[in-house]
Amino acid sequence: MVAAATLLGLDVISLEDLGRGLASPALVALASLFIIARALDVTGGMGVIIRSAARMTDRMGAASAPVIITLCGSLSAFLNNTPLVILAAPIIQDSARRLGISPKRLLIPLSYASIMGGACTLIGTSTNLLVDDMAQRQNLAPFSLFEITGVGLAIAAVGALYLAFVAPRLLPADDEGVDRSGILPEAPPPLRLVPALISVTVFAFVLGAAAGGLPIAVVAFVGAMALLAFQVMKPEEAYSGLRPQVLLMIGGMLVVGEALGKTGLAFQATNTVAAWTQPLGPIAALAIIYVATSVLTEIMSNAAVAVLITPLAIGLAENLGVDSRPFVVAVMMAASASFATPVGYQTNTIVHQVGGYTYMDFVRVGLPLNVISAIVAVWLIPRVFPF
């Protein structure tokens, strides 16, 4: 936001440019989805799932932890993964201790599963919505809710095999430093049956309408307002779920994106990269875009990377004379593929604090997963989204 204000004050952008950035449909969709997720939480609907998973751990024994991790990853395709990880982490810890294994063997996989699950739909992560918004500003057709699901599921499936058979050998086995942060919540709120049913119904309506082709921002906003109209939650509870730090950061980055386009910097960068990659062909260019996005997302916010790379990816495709859609999908997948550092994604930061991991634990386990994800994505994307 400071960057946006500076650009406005220096007359690099106009007040109209500022308005376009802050009135983005992606922000409306995100804010509305945050409210819907908050309703599922405060009415106890999400708590029922978590408590059921907790009871399942007693019956299933050693199989319980992978099931909970898979469940969390699946839910992350539709709900914000940060509260899911916060709620699931204590269950994973208890399950691990009852099984006589270190929670450190399970908490990083929990975070990674939630990240890969979030990349499977357009609403699974704020980054996908933001990339879609940036693409529409470049006159691309909007993505549908499940258009990227095939690619996301393939990456998640290969990633799951890695987490099941390779990652346990690379993860630490000691319990030193586990629960030390105190960031995990107490027990989930009790179930309020009727409000919870209304929340689930509204959520199902939003998913169905979005899958049917209606604009996600419209149906999510209608759903969020319906929850307030039916008094499923108090306005104060809705406000508490809005996550203004995320919305403001994305709004500010969208304004910066407007400035990049208006000043010609994005165009110049595109021409420079295109001149370098043109002899290599579209697949090599796609790989370069994916790797650059993946590296940057480990050290920058996902929103910043999306704003910087999406116009570049689209311009590069146009310079190469190929369809822009596979390049945009590559940005979506790579911007979520943040496995190698504890600061690249919020769920990584959470389990880093809860599990008492070191920085190098993430490098050791996450870097191979970054490489695997890149190989699968670069091989598969052109087959699902031809050039």
Side-chain angles (χ1 to χ4, degrees):
M1 294 301 291
V2 170
T6 302
L7 292 168
L8 181 65
L10 295 175
D11 204 28
V12 175
I13 59 171
S14 66
L15 196 59
E16 289 74 21
D17 296 325
L18 180 69
R20 278 194 296 272
L22 297 181
S24 162
L27 288 178
V28 176
L30 277 174
S32 303
L33 290 168
F34 286 159
I35 291 174
I36 294 171
R38 180 63 174 157
L40 291 169
D41 185 16
V42 300
T43 61
M46 200 178 295
V48 168
I49 298 174
I50 299 300
R51 283 193 293 269
S52 298
R55 288 193 293 269
M56 179 185 65
T57 62
D58 294 327
R59 297 194 300 270
M60 296 186 65
S64 61
V67 169
I68 295 171
I69 291 172
T70 302
L71 175 64
C72 192
S74 301
L75 291 174
S76 295
F78 305 102
L79 297 171
N80 184 270
N81 53 18
T82 301
L84 287 173
V85 169
I86 289 176
L87 289 172
I91 297 173
I92 288 291
Q93 289 177 306
D94 291 341
S95 174
R97 291 192 174 106
R98 283 198 294 271
L99 296 172
I101 61 176
S102 170
K104 285 189 175 184
R105 290 189 175 271
L106 301 175
L107 289 172
I108 280 183
L110 173 68
S111 175
Y112 290 174
S114 75
I115 293 172
M116 291 187 290
C120 289
T121 68
L122 188 62
I123 64 172
T125 171
S126 60
T127 309
N128 286 354
L129 283 171
L130 181 55
V131 171
D132 179 56
D133 183 84
M134 294 295 297
Q136 291 183 54
R137 291 167 186 254
Q138 304 290 322
N139 300 316
L140 263 69
F143 281 81
S144 63
L145 179 62
F146 296 112
E147 190 170 346
I148 61 173
T149 300
V151 176
L153 281 177
I155 295 173
V158 175
L161 293 175
Y162 170 81
L163 293 178
F165 298 107
V166 179
R169 303 173 184 273
L170 303 175
L171 287 163
D174 63 280
D175 289 339
E176 184 181 353
V178 176
D179 272 344
R180 65 178 184 181
S181 68
I183 67 168
L184 296 177
E186 297 178 1
L191 175 67
R192 293 187 287 136
L193 183 59
V194 173
L197 289 175
I198 295 174
S199 300
V200 172
T201 302
V202 167
F203 183 49
F205 158 76
V206 170
L207 291 181
L214 292 178
I216 292 174
V218 173
V219 295
F221 181 74
V222 170
M225 293 306 102
L227 292 173
L228 291 172
F230 287 117
Q231 298 184 341
V232 169
M233 61 195 309
K234 298 176 183 177
E236 293 77 13
E237 292 173 323
Y239 291 139
S240 68
L242 277 177
R243 301 184 68 200
Q245 70 276 19
V246 174
L247 298 176
L248 288 174
M249 179 187 65
I250 291 175
M253 286 307 305
L254 285 169
V255 176
V256 173
E258 292 279 343
L260 290 173
K262 190 172 183 178
T263 59
L265 285 175
F267 178 76
Q268 184 61 47
T270 297
N271 286 344
T272 302
V273 176
W276 180 54
T277 58
Q278 191 136 18
L280 303 176
I283 292 182
L286 184 77
I288 291 169
I289 287 293
Y290 186 97
V291 172
T293 304
S294 181
V295 170
L296 287 174
T297 203
E298 298 286 6
I299 57 177
M300 297 173 59
S301 77
N302 306 68
V305 173
V307 168
L308 291 173
I309 300 294
T310 303
L312 177 64
I314 294 172
L316 179 59
E318 291 173 350
N319 269 276
L320 294 172
V322 297
D323 190 4
S324 302
R325 221 158 182 81
F327 285 79
V328 175
V329 175
V331 175
M332 287 183 178
M333 296 299 144
S336 291
S338 180
F339 307 118
T341 69
V343 297
Y345 207 94
Q346 190 167 4
T347 57
N348 285 353
T349 305
I350 291 170
V351 299
H352 174 246
Q353 295 172 341
V354 172
Y357 294 102
T358 67
Y359 193 99
M360 287 306 298
D361 289 334
F362 283 86
V363 176
R364 185 169 56 252
V365 182
L367 192 57
L369 186 55
N370 274 355
V371 174
I372 292 169
S373 300
I375 293 171
V376 174
V378 172
W379 178 83
L380 183 62
I381 289 173
R383 287 162 172 78
V384 179
F385 298 89
F387 292 119

